């Protein structure tokens, strides 16, 4: 059978969607498998590293002192001062510069949400090489550590959430879970318990390891040099506006929108799916984080490619992945069935559940 036909067949049979709602956009009219998927065993048998492990609890006794990392503290402070200055330059920026800054925000955001998060940390869908190439470049523009490190920390966060082994344990307060955790040495439990995770899928992926190897020069190019040079070179923006608005302000917005998932979405909002976990549904966070604020759902069902019960409801990332699926670049998207969601709501929800 010719290669393209083989691909078609494999695409048809590997897409696992329970309630397709994308009309003509989806898979060019292909028949979708309608398999009601309920548990992680059925839905994603190959990955268990992000499933919460309630058997791990904090050790008794005093917590270790914070070991400050002054280099990070100074650089983060400088970034935020530069971003504030960038904010004052917004009114005098060219419209194209603002559009470019927004585009860089969107690309960086997708590199985190569709890339580091839903693809590489959770394996909630599969992506063909052109999409993975785009996502790794976009992820480099986001400069949030390389995908290997990001996914290692993130799986650790899910498995040992709200314990000392959680890199951004929200029990240590808003500031720590927002940015503080990047300014101090990690708790020894993070390294110990994180070290027990199976990361062989990441180690085996050449693209992920390639990014890790060349991460520093790649970040310099994608996060700082390119976003600054484009407005300056192509439409005669001043160097100052290009640097402070398209680069520093845009980068600061992307990281803060991301950090809010760890801070605000672990502290403020309802818990319709599971009242026993800290993470919450936070619509404001979803707006800034292109669909990643449905965080009570996401911790309850980390294998769902939409990180939400819904698809395109305040969720640009799911729209993007579905468009990629329509082009044949994304496939095998995992979606929890409505029946499984409702059963969980009934069993562990806080009573605030309303269907959108
Ligand atoms: C940034 C990351 O911003 C943000 C991540 C946010 C995650 C959000 C998730 C929410 C859901 C998704 C929502 C997306 C929304 C997107 C919206 C977009 C609009 N397991 O780390 P080191 C071991 S980064 C196992 O140096 P220290 C390991 O052996 C911003 N082992 O620890 C490692 O060596 P190696 C820019 C682990 O010395 C060794 O320990 N970047 C684990 O305590 C040393 O690791 C920065 O600011 C683990 N989990 O230093 C840099 N962890 O790597 C920040 C460690 O060789 N980072 N090990 O294998 C640092 O400078 C340092 O990590 C540190 C800790 C100072 C924080
Ligand atoms: Zn996650
Ligand atoms: Zn979380």
């Amino acid at each position: 059978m010719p290669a393209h036909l083989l691909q078609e067949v494999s695409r048809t049979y590997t897409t696992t969607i329970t309630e397709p709602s994308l009309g003509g956009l989806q898979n060019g009219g292909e028949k979708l498998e309608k398999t009601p998927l309920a548990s992680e065993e059925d839905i994603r048998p190959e990955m268990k590293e992000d499933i919460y492990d309630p058997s791990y609890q904090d050790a008794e006794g005093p917590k270790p002192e914070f070991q400050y990392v002054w280099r990070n503290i100074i650089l983060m402070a400088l970034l935020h001062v530069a971003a504030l200055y960038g904010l004052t330059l917004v009114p005098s920026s060219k419209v194209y510069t603002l559009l470019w800054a927004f585009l860089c925000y969107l690309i960086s955001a997708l590199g985190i949400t569709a890339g580091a998060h839903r693809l590489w940390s959770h394996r909630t869908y599969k992506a063909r090489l052109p999409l993975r190439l785009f996502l790794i470049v976009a992820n480099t523009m986001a400069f949030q550590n390389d995908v290997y490190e990001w996914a290692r920390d993130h799986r650790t966060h899910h498995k040992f959430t709200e314990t000392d082994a959680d890199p951004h344990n929200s029990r240590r307060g808003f500031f720590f879970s927002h940015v503080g955790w990047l300014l101090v040495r990690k708790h020894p439990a993070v390294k110990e318990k994180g070290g027990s995770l199976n990361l062989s899928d990441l180690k085996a992926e050449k693209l992920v390891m390639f990014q890790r190897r060349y991460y520093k020069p790649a970040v310099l190019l994608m996060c700082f040099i390119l976003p600054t040079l484009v407005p300056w070179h192509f439409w005669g923006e001043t160097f100052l506006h290009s640097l402070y608005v398209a680069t520093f302000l845009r980068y600061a917005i992307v990281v803060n929108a991301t950090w809010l998932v760890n801070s605000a979405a672990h502290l403020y909002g309802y818990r319709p799916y599971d009242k026993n976990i800290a993470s919450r549904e936070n619509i404001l966070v979803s707006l800034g984080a292109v669909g990643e604020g449905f965080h009570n759902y996401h911790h309850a069902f980390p294998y769902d490619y939409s990180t939400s019960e819904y698809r395109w409801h305040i969720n640009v990332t799911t729209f993007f992945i579905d468009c990629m699926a329509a082009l044949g670049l994304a496939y095998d998207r995992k979606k929890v069935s409505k029946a499984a969601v409702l059963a969980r709501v009934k069993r562990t929800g806080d009573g605030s559940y309303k269907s959108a």
Side-chain angles (χ1 to χ4, degrees):
M1 192 184 286
H4 72 279
L5 280 182
L6 260 178
Q7 262 193 4
E8 271 312 292
V9 169
S10 88
R11 186 145 57 87
T12 308
Y13 286 98
T14 52
T15 304
T16 46
I17 296 277
T18 54
E19 293 160 348
S21 57
L22 307 179
L25 232 191
Q26 202 163 52
N27 287 353
E30 282 179 11
K31 274 191 191 159
L32 293 164
E33 256 185 6
K34 287 196 175 192
T35 325
L37 295 164
S39 76
E40 69 266 18
E41 316 304 327
D42 302 327
I43 202 167
R44 200 197 46 182
E46 72 279 15
M47 234 288 276
K48 296 282 166 280
E49 302 311 303
D50 55 359
I51 304 295
Y52 176 57
D53 174 4
S55 71
Y56 177 73
Q57 297 295 326
D58 284 344
E60 299 283 319
K63 306 274 177 205
E65 297 275 303
F66 284 130
Q67 285 180 278
Y68 298 107
V69 178
W70 288 104
R71 186 196 64 144
N72 290 10
I73 294 172
I74 292 166
L75 288 175
M76 277 302 176
L78 287 176
L79 168 69
H80 285 81
V81 171
L84 284 179
Y85 179 59
L87 208 53
T88 69
L89 295 180
V90 166
S92 55
S93 299
K94 297 193 173 182
V95 172
Y96 281 132
T97 308
L98 299 179
L99 288 175
W100 169 247
F102 181 72
L103 183 68
C104 290
Y105 154 83
L106 204 58
I107 292 173
S108 317
L110 289 172
I112 295 299
T113 58
H117 194 216
R118 301 187 195 186
L119 178 66
W120 283 301
S121 295
H122 293 297
R123 300 289 178 190
T124 63
Y125 71 100
K126 296 193 176 82
R128 299 196 192 283
L129 187 60
L131 176 57
R132 286 191 290 121
L133 277 171
F134 166 75
L135 290 173
I136 208 89
V137 171
N139 178 271
T140 309
M141 183 180 263
F143 181 22
Q144 291 191 15
N145 298 331
D146 59 64
V147 163
Y148 177 84
E149 183 170 342
W150 201 104
R152 180 175 68 184
D153 276 346
H154 193 64
R155 289 178 186 181
T156 312
H157 165 64
H158 273 265
K159 201 164 198 73
F160 307 109
T161 192
E162 328 298 345
T163 69
D164 286 336
D166 176 350
H168 30 84
N169 179 4
S170 71
R171 288 193 193 187
R172 298 177 91 172
F174 185 97
F175 187 79
F176 179 83
S177 55
H178 193 73
V179 61
W181 67 284
L182 293 166
L183 311 177
V184 295
R185 297 268 165 233
K186 285 172 174 160
H187 193 289
V190 173
K191 298 174 188 180
E192 188 203 322
K193 298 306 291 180
S196 68
L197 297 180
N198 179 359
L199 305 171
S200 54
D201 58 316
L202 297 166
K203 288 179 187 152
E205 198 167 330
K206 287 200 176 86
L207 200 58
V208 170
M209 290 296 117
F210 180 84
Q211 188 212 32
R212 185 160 167 81
R213 186 158 176 197
Y214 297 105
Y215 193 60
K216 278 185 188 153
V219 159
L220 203 63
L221 179 67
M222 288 310 303
C223 181
F224 297 103
I225 298 177
L226 184 82
T228 305
L229 287 190
V230 166
W232 179 68
H233 178 76
F234 286 103
W235 51 89
E237 181 58 278
T238 73
F239 187 77
L240 205 72
H241 284 77
S242 305
L243 181 65
Y244 282 88
V245 177
T247 294
F248 292 135
L249 178 58
R250 178 262 317 161
Y251 175 51
I253 290 174
V254 173
V255 284
N256 276 283
T258 309
W259 298 339
L260 281 170
V261 179
N262 294 335
S263 53
H266 270 258
L267 295 166
Y268 313 120
Y270 289 115
R271 291 179 280 187
Y273 305 98
D274 194 337
K275 61 179 183 295
N276 306 311
I277 56 180
S279 60
R280 289 142 202 269
E281 302 289 284
N282 190 309
I283 282 180
L284 287 179
V285 172
S286 266
L287 282 169
V290 292
E292 296 279 12
F294 304 96
H295 212 51
N296 187 248
Y297 181 90
H298 174 55
H299 274 262
F301 304 105
Y303 30 83
D304 189 314
Y305 89 103
S306 193
T307 68
S308 157
E309 180 183 346
Y310 310 103
R311 286 208 166 85
W312 297 358
H313 173 67
I314 322 180
N315 208 326
V316 175
T317 305
T318 301
F319 176 74
F320 171 78
I321 297 172
D322 287 346
C323 290
M324 293 299 108
L327 294 172
L329 294 172
Y331 61 103
D332 203 4
R333 291 158 293 164
K334 314 293 188 190
K335 193 89 195 78
V336 178
S337 69
K338 186 86 177 171
V341 171
L342 292 178
R344 181 68 176 261
V345 164
K346 204 169 163 202
R347 190 161 58 83
T348 55
D350 67 359
S352 65
Y353 181 79
K354 281 191 213 81
S355 198

